């Protein structure tokens, strides 16, 4: 049983560019959350998707947007990249009725 | 607002020493509490959880008890191993319609042989 998978593993972009990160949830899970983890910090909640809609959002600007597909996979899009967007981006999945979130290995984004 | 405060690191112990990492939280409602572990270059793995007051979560020799009266969820292990070296994160879910996990800043544990 595959766990949560994310792609790509690493990504290097320059300021002002746009990036798309992808996540496939654990089998049987229908809810996907995204977190940003800056170096030396705990993960910060970006948003959560359920039934292809954004259900809850953290304190992140509109440059951060997402999407969930009918197969429950998800994308995180970041526009107009800033140096401060450099971080590990983690995807987590869960069943809607559960509160235990399973994390993927993350995508390391570097903005130059 | 919701927050988690955990013991500042880094923590350095010798093998077989006793470990305590303190964690306190602020939350509305009745959150579930979690400890996650992150090994170098990897994502987060759930270590243990507790969903209501006085519950004890345990896994791989680690334990933590949900203390509602002190809003705490301290992580303990009686005898650490070199393989326990990692970053440990305390977290809570908001409960009700608050689905996000709120994390502490993490505590780096290094266990020396």
């Amino acid at each position: 049983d595959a766990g949560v998978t994310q792609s790509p593993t690493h990504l290097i972009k320059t300021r002002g560019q746009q990036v798309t990160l992808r996540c496939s949830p654990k089998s049987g899970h229908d809810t996907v959350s995204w977190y940003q983890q800056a170096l030396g910090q705990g993960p910060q909640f970006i948003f959560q998707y359920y039934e292809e809609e954004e259900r809850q959002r953290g304190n992140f600007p509109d440059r951060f947007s997402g999407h969930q597909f009918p197969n429950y996979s998800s994308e995180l899009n970041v526009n107009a990249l800033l140096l401060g967007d450099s971080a590990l981006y983690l995807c987590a999945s869960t069943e809607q009725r559960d509160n235990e979130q399973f994390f993927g290995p993350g995508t390391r984004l570097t903005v130059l | 607002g919701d927050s988690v405060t955990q013991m500042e690191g880094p923590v350095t112990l010798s093998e077989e020493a006793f470990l305590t990492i303190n964690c306190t939280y602020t939350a509305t409602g009745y959150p579930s509490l979690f400890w996650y572990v992150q090994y170098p270059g990897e994502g987060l793995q759930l270590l243990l959880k507790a969903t209501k007051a006085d519950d004890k979560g345990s896994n791989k020799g680690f334990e933590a008890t949900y203390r509602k009266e002190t809003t705490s969820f301290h992580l303990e292990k009686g005898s650490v191993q070199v393989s326990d070296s990692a970053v440990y994160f305390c977290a809570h879910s908001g409960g009700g319609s608050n689905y996000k996990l709120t994390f502490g800043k993490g505590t780096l544990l290094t266990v020396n042989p």
Side-chain angles (χ1 to χ4, degrees), chain A residues 35 37 40-43 45 48 55-56 88 90 96 98-101 103-105, chain B residues 32 34 36 38 42-44 46 49 51 89 93 97-101 103-105:
Chain A
Y35 293 81
Q37 186 180 16
Q41 301 296 315
F45 175 77
Q48 185 180 82
R55 178 160 72 173
Q56 187 178 4
L88 181 68
L90 296 166
Q96 190 271 332
D98 198 358
N99 62 8
E100 182 174 331
Q101 297 189 18
F103 284 81
Chain B
S32 295
F34 306 86
Y36 281 85
Q38 187 172 38
E42 297 185 12
L44 300 176
L46 179 65
K49 71 174 185 179
T51 57
F89 292 95
S93 66
S97 61
N98 185 354
Y99 305 101
K100 69 177 183 181
L101 286 175
F103 286 87
K105 292 186 176 181

Side-chain angles (χ1 to χ4, degrees), chain B:
Chain B
D2 293 348
S3 67
V4 173
T5 302
Q6 62 180 101
M7 194 168 83
E8 294 275 336
V11 174
T12 302
L13 297 174
S14 297
E15 207 165 22
E16 299 184 3
F18 184 85
L19 169 71
T20 298
I21 301 177
N22 292 335
C23 171
T24 57
Y25 66 91
T26 303
T28 54
Y30 301 94
S32 295
L33 304 177
F34 306 86
W35 277 99
Y36 281 85
V37 59
Q38 187 172 38
Y39 297 99
E42 297 185 12
L44 300 176
Q45 297 177 26
L46 179 65
L47 181 59
L48 53 83
K49 71 174 185 179
T51 57
K52 61 183 187 297
D54 299 324
D55 268 2
K56 178 185 283 188
S58 61
N59 185 27
K60 299 180 181 179
F62 291 90
E63 293 183 340
T65 301
Y66 190 143
R67 300 291 188 196
K68 189 170 185 293
E69 64 276 13
T70 55
T71 62
S72 65
F73 193 54
H74 304 321
L75 182 68
E76 296 182 337
K77 186 175 186 182
S79 176
V80 294
Q81 305 300 312
V82 172
S83 57
D84 293 327
S85 297
V87 180
Y88 292 81
F89 292 95
C90 183
H92 73 68
S93 66
S97 61
N98 185 354
Y99 305 101
K100 69 177 183 181
L101 286 175
T102 299
F103 286 87
K105 292 186 176 181
T107 302
L108 173 62
L109 169 67
T110 301
V111 180
N112 295 317

